[in-house]
Amino acid sequence: MCGIVGYVGRQHAAPLLVEGLSRLEYRGYDSAGVAVLTSGKPRVVRTVGRVRDLEAAMPKRLAGTVGIGHTRWATHGPATEANAHPHASEDGRVLLVHNGILDNAAALRERLAADGVTLASDTDTEVLAHLVSRSEATSLEGKVIDALRQVTGTYAIAVLDADHPDRVVVARNGSPLVLGLGEREMFIASDVAALVRHTSQVVHLEDGELATVTASGFHTFTADAASVAKTPETLELSAEELEIGGHQHFMHKEMHEQPETVRRMLTGRLDDRFATARLDGLQLEPRELRAFRRVKILGCGSAYYVGQMGASMIEDLARIPADSEAASEFRYRNPIIEPDTLYVAVSQSGETADTLFAVREIQRKGGRVVGLVNVVGSSIARECDGGVYLHAGPEVAVASTKALTHMAVGFAMLAVALGRVRDLSFADGQRIINGLKQIPDQVAAVLEQEDAIAEVAKKVAAAPSLFFIGRVRGFPVSREGAQKFKEISYRHAEAYQTSELKHGPLALISEELPTVAIVPRDDLLQRNIGAAHEIAARRGPLLVVTHDGVDLGELDAARIVVPKNEDELDAILLTIPLQLLAYHAALSLGHDIDRPRNLAKSVTVE
Ligand code: F6R
């Protein structure tokens, strides 16, 4: 949420900053700006809108080899030029970009105003620029430390000071920040996506750390000015993985990557000899795995819904109680942390603040938490006590698709591993392992139905409101289907347990309200078909997502048929057509699919 870039080196900073911001635009895209030191004088360009608007507004010549930039997702104040970053001190000599939220900004704004400072924006960030500038310390590092002592909240910041033109000082607390090491040049970013074209050597800052960044390198230290030694890591990501290829949207590309990425994820992790999954990254011995009496999954949004799929897989296969909870609520209800519960944090970005804080709350109370995370080296991945990398590759579209499929597959592997150290038989373990092996081809088979799904999607998109219904294993599928639909089509879509419909919401069914019903071929089939008939009897238009061999009788319904897998794994495949449904509905409505309104990928604020 919000993207930060910085550059100190021998090339012109401005084009590099703008290019870096365009790679980070999925983190926020309501306004953008850069500041560059030109012959020691700060020059600032800010615009409302996309990075392409900033690019158009850039002067032809903007020399200078030191600069910072930002793409914003508004927290304090609307998307206006005055609220866009970088923010400046009154004399314009200190410039600052910030990602995160300062909790005591209102009090600090009041104090600054009482001291006669004229505030130029509605933002929390601006106070930091004034505090840095007003510090009496002589070094920029000292000024930044002084300022940070006065604020509470989360931040990643990059600070320029015309009085110290050879450097950018950065700091991190709760929002990601990474340094990229080049030849006599250094890059700064909130996400490696902005660095990967320039370097593969990176250093992640930890919370509470600051760094001085100059053309010749970096120096990391704490707020007590104690040096911190850092060893650069080599990025596994390649620049090509971030290209859109021949696709119209990243979301389209990412949906179509799924067969290959899932195949890659499974490689080396399915163990036919013992009919189990090998998840060495969990760093849990079989004896420890067996000792857990409960599993609690924590994630946000779609990750939370996939967590519900995971909980049901774990209950089915390992027969231990499991549930999934919204991480955004968890730590505020003073949760009871049990020593024999395995906590699992699930996240694509590994930077979602709500999930990260849930991890810390569990650890603070002595619980054991492992991660199911996609982004290697992300905060959640680093802070968990072990985990499983999802290996979905970079996901750029705001609406998550392939990472969620990988989460579901990850949970299936975890469930079989937990089951096989308990009472899941060899035969049942092998049944699930064989089922998992089929997933890549079966996902490909669903994707081949894209044209037919696109036709249905156009019709469904015409309705202002929709139901998505499913029961038991199908309910999280319907929740995720509704979520995807809402995010990019801006249509109201409500997920409901099929079984609960008759307890109230059936009153809403009419010719104007279509229902997408998840009807798997499992032991609830007849009940699900019965509910579909009840909807049809009330003239509700129906789209049934089902398996081959299902006889819907006389039901008047559009149909999407997905390949059948093992009952416990069906949710993985039933979700795939709902991605295509949402995508084509949004496409037919002419929406900006990769950058839906009001949203941003990687929600690094609470
Ligand atoms: C849905 C979506 C969000 C994320 C949620 C968690 O398409 O993208 O609901 O799933 O914000 O994000 P991560 O997985 O990065 O923690």
Side-chain angles (χ1 to χ4, degrees), residues 251 298-306 346-356 372 374-375 380 390 395 397-401 403-404 407 480 483-484 487-488 599-603:
M251 182 177 174
L298 294 149
C300 292
S302 293
Y304 155 47
Y305 303 144
V306 180
V346 57
S347 174
Q348 188 288 126
S349 61
E351 300 294 350
T352 300
D354 287 317
T355 312
L356 180 60
L372 240 66
N374 192 36
V375 177
I380 296 173
L390 299 174
E395 197 179 65
V398 166
S400 186
T401 53
L404 302 176
M407 287 173 193
E480 171 48 21
Q483 163 96 334
K484 206 90 313 149
E487 278 182 296
I488 54 174
L599 300 179
K601 201 159 185 76
S602 189
V603 186

Side-chain angles (χ1 to χ4, degrees), residues 38 112 164 230 417-418 554 572:
T38 305
L112 286 165
H164 302 274
K230 292 269 182 193
L418 286 164
E554 298 292 292
I572 304 171

Side-chain angles (χ1 to χ4, degrees), residues 66-85:
V66 181
I68 54 177
H70 189 268
T71 172
R72 179 169 185 251
W73 185 85
T75 57
H76 291 62
T80 60
E81 195 180 317
N83 287 337
H85 300 214

Side-chain angles (χ1 to χ4, degrees), residues 133-415:
S133 150
R134 290 161 73 85
S135 160
E136 284 171 7
T138 47
S139 66
L140 178 56
E141 291 75 3
K143 286 170 185 265
V144 173
I145 290 173
D146 263 1
L148 292 177
R149 281 212 177 100
Q150 300 173 62
V151 302
T152 56
T154 56
Y155 52 78
I157 57 166
V159 191
L160 265 189
D161 183 348
D163 295 335
H164 302 274
D166 65 331
R167 65 194 53 206
V168 173
V169 171
V170 298
R172 168 189 168 141
N173 182 42
S175 296
L177 202 65
V178 54
L179 308 180
L181 285 63
E183 273 293 309
R184 288 184 292 127
E185 60 184 356
M186 288 287 300
F187 301 85
I188 298 159
S190 44
D191 185 324
V192 293
L195 307 174
V196 67
R197 273 160 204 80
H198 305 289
T199 178
S200 60
Q201 294 297 300
V202 299
V203 162
H204 291 273
L205 254 60
E206 301 293 339
D207 281 352
E209 289 178 355
L210 298 92
T212 304
V213 183
T214 61
S216 54
F218 67 98
H219 169 230
T220 32
F221 53 97
T222 64
D224 303 324
S227 294
V228 182
K230 292 269 182 193
T231 312
E233 293 164 36
T234 304
L235 283 180
E236 285 176 17
L237 187 68
S238 73
E240 292 73 50
E241 286 181 83
L242 290 160
E243 299 301 335
I244 197 162
H247 298 266
Q248 200 182 344
H249 299 100
F250 274 103
M251 182 177 174
H252 194 261
K253 172 187 182 229
E254 288 156 11
M255 290 189 294
H256 282 271
E257 282 173 343
Q258 295 177 107
E260 261 335 291
T261 57
V262 172
R263 208 183 302 282
R264 190 175 65 204
M265 175 196 196
L266 293 173
T267 305
R269 283 171 160 172
L270 301 182
D271 179 344
D272 287 307
R273 216 169 74 146
F274 291 104
T276 190
R278 292 191 50 170
L279 302 173
D280 299 341
L282 289 178
Q283 293 168 30
L284 290 166
E285 296 295 326
R287 189 175 25 85
E288 292 174 286
L289 267 185
R290 197 183 156 75
F292 292 116
R293 295 168 64 91
R294 188 182 289 278
V295 177
K296 169 72 122 181
I297 298 162
L298 294 149
C300 292
S302 293
Y304 155 47
Y305 303 144
V306 180
Q308 290 189 311
M309 294 179 201
S312 116
M313 291 173 189
I314 291 165
E315 291 204 343
D316 279 344
L317 298 173
R319 303 303 300 152
I320 46 174
D323 77 322
S324 175
E325 181 173 339
S328 47
E329 293 284 288
F330 179 74
R331 100 182 146 114
Y332 291 102
R333 62 172 185 80
N334 194 15
I336 298 163
I337 302 299
E338 296 163 310
D340 51 5
T341 295
L342 174 63
Y343 295 88
V344 185
V346 57
S347 174
Q348 188 288 126
S349 61
E351 300 294 350
T352 300
D354 287 317
T355 312
L356 180 60
F357 289 131
V359 168
R360 291 181 182 160
E361 178 71 1
I362 294 162
Q363 289 177 330
R364 191 182 66 75
K365 291 183 169 177
R368 178 83 172 242
V369 55
V370 296
L372 240 66
V373 176
N374 192 36
V375 177
V376 177
S378 56
S379 303
I380 296 173
R382 282 180 295 131
E383 293 197 23
C384 280
D385 310 310
V388 178
Y389 274 124
L390 299 174
H391 294 310
E395 197 179 65
V396 175
V398 166
S400 186
T401 53
K402 63 173 177 168
L404 302 176
T405 304
H406 280 238
M407 287 173 193
V409 170
F411 279 121
M413 289 196 286
L414 178 62

